[in-house]
C-alpha cells in the first residue's frame, strides 16, 4: 500500500532473530545512502530503541488493537513519502495473537520475509518455511532468511526443497559475538550500550555477506529483496528532502485542547518506556512537553501536569532517593491538585517501598499506599483496554513485579486475547496510576481531558 518497498519481517516464534535481522537490513541500507523507516508491530519499547539507532529515525508502533487501522495507515503513508525502504518488525510468531503480525500484513498488503533459526536443522527448514507461506492465502511470504547457519554448505542444505516462489533471501552465519545483552524485560536499553553502533555495523556486515549466500530453488543467487522481480535496493537512488517531518498524528482533526498546558515527562534510563506517538500527540494537542531526568539530578520543571512512564525503578532506586528534591516535588505537585499519570514503574516509584531483584527494600515516595517487589517470574503480559472516567484507552502490560495496595481500583482492564492479565486502574485525587502502559492515540480526547485537568476522577477519590 506504500509508495516505496515495504516488508514485514516475521518468524515462526520469538527468539529467531527478527530484531537483529531487521536492524542489520536497516543499517546496511542506510550505509548505502538510502532513507529507511522502521516500525515495530505490537507493544514494545526496547527493540524500537535498537531499530531507531540502526535506521537513524524514530521507530513507531503499528498495532491494529492499540492504534487502529486508520492510525497505522497514516503512519505508513507518512513514512512512505520520503523513504526508500520501509521495514516492519513483527511480534512473536507470524500468526500469534489477535491481532497478529499476519493480520497487519494482510491489512496493508505487506510482503512477509520469514526469519528462521536454522542452527539445528537442514532440509526441514524448507518444510517449515513452506508451511508458514501457505497457512493463509491473504498474505504473501516473499522469501525466507536463514539465521545462524554454520557454513556455506549448511546454507545450501537449508535452501533445498524451497519452492521457486519462496527463495532464500539470505543466510546469516552463526556468531555469538553479535548478540546483545538482555535483562528481565528484554534487551538492555540502547542508551546503556556504548558500543551499539559498532555492533549494528557488524550486523550490517553480516547481512551484506549473508545476502550473497541467498539461493533460489534453481541454485541461482537471489538479489537482495529480488522476490518482487527486481532488486529493490541495488542502484536505487535516495529520495530528496531532509526527512524531518511532524509527528504521525499531525493529520488528525484534533482541537488544540492542551494549548498552553505544560506537561513534564520523566525521561531517562529509569523512565524510558515512552511511545514516541504519545509525545507527538501531546504536542499536536498543543501541550508544552518538558522532559527531564530525575536520575541525573534534574528538578521537576514548572508544569501543569506530570507523566511518570514505566522503566526500571528497581535498578535506579538509590539514584531516585539520592535526588534532594524529587520525592518532595512529586508530593507538592499532587498537593497542588495537578494531574499526574504514573504507569507501571512510574507507579512503583510512588509507593511506600519497592524491593529489587535481590530482595533489597528501597523506600519510595510514599504518595500511594502499598509495596511492590520484583520477582523472577513474569507477573503479567498482554494487550489491555481500560475504561478511564474520560473514555477507554488501550495499551499493554508487561512486568515482573507484584504490588499490594489498599487502594480500590476504579476500573479493571480487559484483555482482547482472553489472557489472565487484567490490570487495575487507581485514582487518588489528581493521581491516575496503573500497570498499563497507555497508547495515547487510542483516545486523544480522554488524554486531553485528563492532562488538561478536566478529569471526572476527582469526585471518585479525594482521600
Amino acid at each position: 500500500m506504500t509508495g516505496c518497498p515495504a516488508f514485514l519481517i516475521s518468524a515462526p516464534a520469538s527468539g529467531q532473530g527478527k530484531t537483529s535481522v531487521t536492524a542489520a537490513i536497516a543499517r546496511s541500507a542506510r550505509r548505502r545512502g538510502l532513507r529507511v523507516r522502521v516500525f515495530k508491530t505490537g507493544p514494545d519499547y526496547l527493540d524500537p530503541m535498537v531499530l531507531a539507532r540502526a535506521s537513524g529515525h524514530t521507530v513507531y508502533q503499528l498495532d491494529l488493537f492499540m492504534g487502529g487501522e486508520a492510525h497505522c495507515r497514516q503512519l505508513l503513508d507518512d513514512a512512505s513519502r520520503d523513504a526508500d525502504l520501509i521495514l516492519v518488525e513483527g511480534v512473536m510468531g507470524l500468526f500469534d495473537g489477535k491481532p497478529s503480525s499476519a493480520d497487519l500484513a494482510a491489512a496493508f498488503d505487506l510482503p512477509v520475509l520469514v526469519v528462521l533459526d536454522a542452527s539445528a536443522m537442514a532440509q526441514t527448514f524448507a518444510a517449515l518455511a513452506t508451511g508458514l507461506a501457505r497457512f493463509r492465502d491473504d498474505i504473501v511470504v516473499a522469501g525466507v532468511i536463514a539465521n545462524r547457519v554454520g557454513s556455506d554448505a549448511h546454507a545450501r542444505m537449508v535452501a533445498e526443497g524451497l519452492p521457486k516462489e519462496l527463495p532464500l533471501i539470505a543466510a546469516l552465519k552463526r556468531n555469538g559475538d553479535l548478540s546483545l545483552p538482555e535483562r528481565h524485560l528484554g534487551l538492555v536499553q540502547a542508551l546503556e550500550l556504548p558500543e551499539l553502533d559498532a555492533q549494528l555495523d557488524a550486523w550490517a556486515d553480516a547481512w551484506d555477506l549473508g545476502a550473497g549466500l541467498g539461493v533460489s530453488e534453481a541454485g541461482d543467487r537471489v538479489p537482495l529483496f529480488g522476490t518482487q522481480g527486481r532488486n529493490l535496493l541495488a542502484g536505487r537512488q535516495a529520495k530528496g528532502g531532509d526527512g524531518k517531518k511532524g509527528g504521525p498524528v499531525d493529520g488528525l482533526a484534533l482541537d488544540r485542547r492542551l494549548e498552553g498546558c505544560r506537561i513534564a515527562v520523566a525521561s531517562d534510563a529509569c523512565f524510558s518506556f515512552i511511545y514516541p506517538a504519545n509525545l507527538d500527540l501531546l504536542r499536536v494537542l498543543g501541550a508544552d512537553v518538558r522532559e527531564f531526568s530525575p536520575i541525573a539530578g534534574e528538578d521537576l520543571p514548572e508544569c501543569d501536569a506530570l507523566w511518570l512512564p514505566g522503566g526500571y525503578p528497581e535498578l535506579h532506586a538509590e539514584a531516585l532517593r539520592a535526588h534532594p528534591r524529587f520525592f518532595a516535588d512529586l508530593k507538592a505537585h499532587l498537593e497542588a491538585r495537578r494531574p499526574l499519570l504514573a504507569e507501571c514503574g512510574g507507579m512503583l516509584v510512588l509507593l511506600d517501598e519497592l524491593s529489587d531483584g535481590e530482595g533489597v527494600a528501597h523506600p519510595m515516595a510514599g504518595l500511594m499506599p502499598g509495596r511492590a517487589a520484583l520477582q523472577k517470574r513474569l507477573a503479567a503480559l498482554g494487550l489491555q483496554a481500560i475504561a478511564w472516567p474520560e473514555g477507554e484507552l488501550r495499551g499493554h502490560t508487561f512486568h515482573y513485579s507484584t504490588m499490594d495496595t489498599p487502594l480500590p481500583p476504579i476500573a479493571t482492564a480487559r484483555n482482547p486475547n482472553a489472557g489472565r492479565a487484567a490490570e487495575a486502574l487507581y485514582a487518588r485525587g489528581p493521581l491516575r496510576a496503573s500497570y498499563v502502559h497507555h497508547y495515547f492515540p487510542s483516545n486523544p480526547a480522554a488524554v486531553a481531558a485528563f492532562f488538561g485537568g478536566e478529569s471526572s476522577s476527582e469526585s471518585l477519590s479525594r482521600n
Side-chain angles (χ1 to χ4, degrees):
M1 63 148 288
T2 66
C4 70
F7 296 88
L8 185 140
I9 299 175
S10 191
S14 298
Q16 303 287 300
K18 295 189 300 291
T19 301
S20 57
V21 168
T22 305
I25 297 171
R27 179 56 70 100
S28 173
R30 184 182 172 195
R31 294 195 309 194
R32 296 168 182 255
L34 303 180
R35 299 184 182 275
V36 186
R37 299 293 178 267
V38 182
F39 293 90
K40 172 62 181 174
T41 308
D44 195 330
Y45 297 107
L46 300 171
D47 291 357
M49 295 178 187
V50 173
L51 297 173
R53 287 282 287 275
S55 64
H57 198 277
T58 302
V59 173
Y60 290 93
Q61 259 59 37
L62 291 180
D63 189 276
L64 293 173
F65 175 77
M66 293 198 307
E69 185 171 335
H71 175 64
C72 293
R73 188 178 300 278
Q74 181 180 345
L75 289 169
L76 282 169
D77 284 346
D78 286 350
S80 70
R81 293 193 183 103
D82 66 348
D84 300 295
L85 175 67
I86 291 175
L87 303 173
V88 182
E89 185 196 343
V91 61
M92 299 185 294
L94 178 57
F95 305 106
D96 295 335
K98 296 180 181 180
S100 65
S101 296
D103 293 331
L104 188 77
F108 301 114
D109 297 322
L110 296 172
V112 178
L113 300 178
V114 171
V115 179
L116 272 167
D117 182 350
S119 60
M121 66 179 79
Q123 288 81 3
T124 302
F125 179 97
L128 291 175
T130 303
L132 290 168
R134 296 176 179 174
F135 187 71
R136 280 176 53 168
D137 59 10
D138 60 342
I139 65 171
V140 174
V141 176
V144 290
I145 298 166
N147 196 22
R148 303 170 187 143
V149 299
S151 64
D152 292 0
H154 187 195
R156 289 191 292 271
M157 283 191 287
V158 300
E160 291 178 12
L162 286 172
K164 184 177 182 180
E165 69 274 11
L166 190 62
L168 181 68
I169 300 296
L172 308 180
K173 295 287 185 64
R174 182 168 54 243
N175 186 346
D177 293 338
L178 297 182
S179 299
L180 288 176
E182 299 187 19
R183 57 165 67 106
H184 53 283
L185 294 180
L187 295 175
V188 171
Q189 299 179 94
L191 56 84
E192 299 178 69
L193 299 173
E195 304 299 322
L196 179 58
D197 283 308
Q199 182 89 326
L200 291 169
D201 283 331
W203 281 358
D205 292 341
W207 171 261
D208 292 341
L209 177 63
L213 297 178
V215 293
S216 69
E217 183 267 345
D220 300 321
R221 181 170 292 182
V222 177
L224 185 61
F225 299 137
T227 55
Q228 304 302 305
R230 61 192 177 101
N231 188 330
L232 296 177
L233 289 185
R236 185 177 175 90
Q237 297 298 311
K239 295 181 181 179
D242 61 7
K244 296 180 181 178
K245 301 163 54 117
V249 292
D250 280 353
L252 298 179
L254 297 174
D255 294 331
R256 293 179 65 83
R257 292 176 58 181
L258 293 176
E259 188 74 55
C261 181
R262 302 165 299 176
I263 301 179
V265 180
S267 177
D268 54 27
C270 178
F271 302 98
S272 58
F273 292 174
I274 300 172
Y275 288 123
N278 286 6
L279 297 178
D280 289 344
L281 177 64
L282 293 177
R283 294 185 175 110
V284 168
L285 289 169
D288 174 8
V289 176
R290 302 182 170 190
E291 299 181 58
F292 71 108
S293 171
I295 64 172
E298 295 178 2
D299 289 336
L300 175 66
E302 291 187 9
C303 61
D304 305 298
L306 170 61
W307 176 25
L308 295 181
Y312 293 99
E314 68 276 12
L315 300 181
H316 301 280
E318 292 185 2
L320 293 175
R321 290 174 55 209
H323 192 300
R325 290 169 297 278
F326 182 54
F327 289 166
D329 286 347
L330 295 179
K331 181 179 180 182
H333 182 90
L334 290 173
E335 288 178 342
R337 308 204 72 75
R338 294 171 179 156
L340 192 165
L341 174 62
E343 297 178 328
C344 198
M347 175 177 67
L348 303 188
V349 169
L350 300 181
L351 296 175
D352 297 313
E353 184 178 274
L354 171 62
S355 295
D356 62 25
E358 303 302 319
V360 178
H362 302 272
M364 290 285 101
L367 301 174
M368 178 176 169
R371 288 170 170 77
L374 202 69
Q375 59 181 25
K376 300 297 182 183
R377 297 175 57 187
L378 181 66
L381 170 66
L383 293 170
Q384 303 279 282
I386 192 161
W388 281 27
E390 302 81 9
E392 182 183 89
L393 268 85
R394 295 185 172 189
H396 80 284
T397 182
F398 180 34
H399 58 93
Y400 277 73
S401 65
T402 57
M403 182 183 74
D404 292 316
T405 178
L407 286 183
I410 64 169
T412 301
R414 63 180 175 87
N415 188 318
N417 289 299
R420 291 182 299 172
E423 301 293 1
L425 177 67
Y426 302 99
R428 193 183 196 194
L431 171 64
R432 191 72 54 82
S434 178
Y435 266 120
V436 174
H437 300 273
H438 301 89
Y439 190 70
F440 293 175
S442 66
N443 194 334
V447 170
F450 174 74
F451 282 115
E454 306 168 25
S455 173
S456 60
S457 66
E458 287 285 314
S459 62
L460 295 176
S461 178
R462 289 184 176 274
N463 56 326

